[in-house]
Amino acid sequence: MVSYKKSLRYVLKIAPGTNDLPRKEGMCRNLVEKGQLTHPLIIFNRTIQRAMDLQAAFPAGKSTVAGSIPAAVSDADIIFTCLGDDAAITETVETICKSGIGIRDKLFVDCSTVHPNTTNQLAATFSSIGADFVACPVFGAPAMADAGQLVCVLAGPGHSVKKVLPFCKGVMGRANIDYSDQPCGRATLLKVIGNTFILNMVETLSEGHTIAEKSGLGNDNLHQFIETMFPGPYTAYSGRMMRGDYYTREEPLFGVDLARKDAKHALDLAKGSGTRMKAVEIADEHLADVQTHMGSKGDIAGIYGAVRQLSGLKFEN
């Protein structure tokens, strides 16, 4: 344990009202259990009961619940934020800056998946008032967050990134992608582009399972091929599709609203750089169909249902 941790307190702010909550809870749990914190983790959620429920899952004395954003931030030295979209993180930062609490020399670490322009604006805002900022979006499903197996992408001033690294690999994650001394937006640029790989994977699997069913190959036979050739995420998503998990879950693992937000950012980046992502355009059209069919409870894997409908099958398998 490096010496600077000895006098610090920490807060991880969880976004209210998003369907990414399980991953954030896993991140909190690993900070408490493996982060070697010298003070209780401070938790804030605008839905206080959610924060209290999370606190109840931890050993006594390992965490506290703050009643407001200023209260959470004022007692912390390192503040982790993880919100659902650009508007939410921007509003939260504005609330912090207008609260009148002293934030000079505090370190803010944002794990949200947002447009890189938003990330760079946050960095400029904090820098203008003497606070430090690191972007740290993460790759990985809720189960990976629970297991401390996320991939953390860090960007920002090297001396600030160094303070965050002890909470990433070996605590919240299995690996770091370190962009020290690169613009903070470089981390969310990778995150947005990286999420298109996931989106395209789901689209490919959805089309494959649909034609396997209609051509007579059969879903089990296709899944055997996927297990053999593409172990890992491909196999996991294939299994979810075959089990009907994409429409039977109470809460989505990767919500359709968040997936469409990420796709929108990717398409904006493509347009701005003079490129085109046709596969993402098609997948986003299918996500829109998922929204129509299931609303905000839809999951990215629901693309399978949308492709099925376009092929004359029922959305539900």
Side-chain angles (χ1 to χ4, degrees):
M1 182 173 67
V2 291
S3 62
Y4 71 81
K5 293 170 63 177
K6 293 183 180 297
S7 62
L8 297 181
R9 300 188 64 169
Y10 309 88
V11 55
L12 186 134
K13 182 188 179 300
I14 308 172
T18 74
N19 46 32
D20 198 29
L21 193 63
R23 180 164 62 176
K24 296 158 190 171
E25 291 176 344
M27 294 166 71
C28 283
R29 185 173 298 106
N30 283 298
L31 281 172
V32 168
E33 294 178 355
K34 298 183 288 186
Q36 300 184 40
L37 306 184
T38 59
H39 293 77
L41 179 73
I42 307 168
I43 305 168
F44 173 77
N45 189 306
R46 277 175 284 183
T47 304
I48 296 297
Q49 188 58 50
R50 286 180 176 172
M52 294 178 66
D53 290 345
L54 182 57
Q55 180 192 28
F58 299 149
K62 292 293 186 178
S63 63
T64 62
V65 173
S68 68
I69 294 175
V73 173
S74 63
D75 288 339
D77 294 301
I78 299 181
I79 299 93
F80 287 84
T81 54
C82 193
L83 291 100
D85 57 35
D86 301 57
I89 184 60
T90 299
E91 178 185 354
T92 297
V93 171
E94 289 176 352
T95 299
I96 293 169
C97 293
K98 293 177 181 179
S99 66
I101 61 175
I103 61 174
R104 180 174 292 275
D105 297 327
K106 291 182 183 291
L107 173 57
F108 291 83
V109 184
D110 187 40
C111 302
S112 311
T113 301
V114 294
H115 195 288
N117 289 349
T118 300
T119 300
N120 287 330
Q121 183 57 54
L122 295 176
T125 297
F126 283 121
S127 178
S128 69
I129 52 180
D132 295 326
F133 179 78
V134 168
C136 184
V138 297
F139 288 100
M144 295 175 70
D146 281 338
Q149 293 294 300
L150 298 172
V151 174
C152 304
V153 186
L154 302 97
H159 68 276
S160 298
V161 170
K162 185 176 179 180
K163 295 178 182 179
V164 184
L165 287 172
F167 306 107
C168 296
K169 182 179 179 181
V171 178
M172 294 189 296
R174 65 175 177 84
N176 299 329
I177 298 177
D178 187 347
Y179 292 165
S180 289
D181 292 320
Q182 296 189 42
C184 293
R186 200 66 57 82
T188 42
L189 179 57
L190 175 65
K191 174 61 173 172
V192 170
I193 294 173
N195 275 5
T196 68
F197 284 56
I198 299 170
L199 182 58
N200 290 332
M201 173 188 69
V202 174
E203 178 70 29
T204 298
L205 287 168
S206 298
E207 294 176 3
H209 270 294
T210 301
I211 193 172
E213 179 173 344
K214 297 206 70 175
S215 68
L217 173 65
N219 298 105
D220 288 335
N221 286 340
L222 179 65
H223 185 72
Q224 185 177 355
F225 161 76
I226 294 168
E227 282 184 310
T228 303
M229 295 293 296
F230 307 109
Y234 273 84
T235 296
Y237 269 98
S238 176
R240 290 187 62 204
M241 292 173 185
M242 291 180 64
R243 295 192 303 272
D245 182 75
Y246 65 94
Y247 66 89
T248 59
R249 295 187 61 83
E250 287 294 323
E251 296 291 338
L253 285 180
F254 190 158
V256 63
D257 294 343
L258 297 181
R260 291 209 71 194
K261 177 260 298 179
D262 293 351
K264 178 183 177 182
H265 287 336
L267 294 174
D268 179 74
L269 290 168
K271 182 178 179 181
S273 61
T275 58
R276 190 171 180 185
M277 306 181 81
K278 288 188 176 181
V280 175
E281 292 173 13
I282 293 171
D284 186 52
E285 291 176 4
H286 294 158
L287 287 172
D289 293 338
V290 176
Q291 281 182 322
T292 299
H293 192 86
M294 297 191 66
S296 293
K297 292 189 67 174
D299 188 279
I300 189 174
I303 287 176
Y304 179 38
V307 173
R308 286 173 55 84
Q309 281 187 316
L310 289 171
S311 303
L313 301 172
K314 289 180 60 178
F315 184 95
E316 297 82 7
N317 64 352

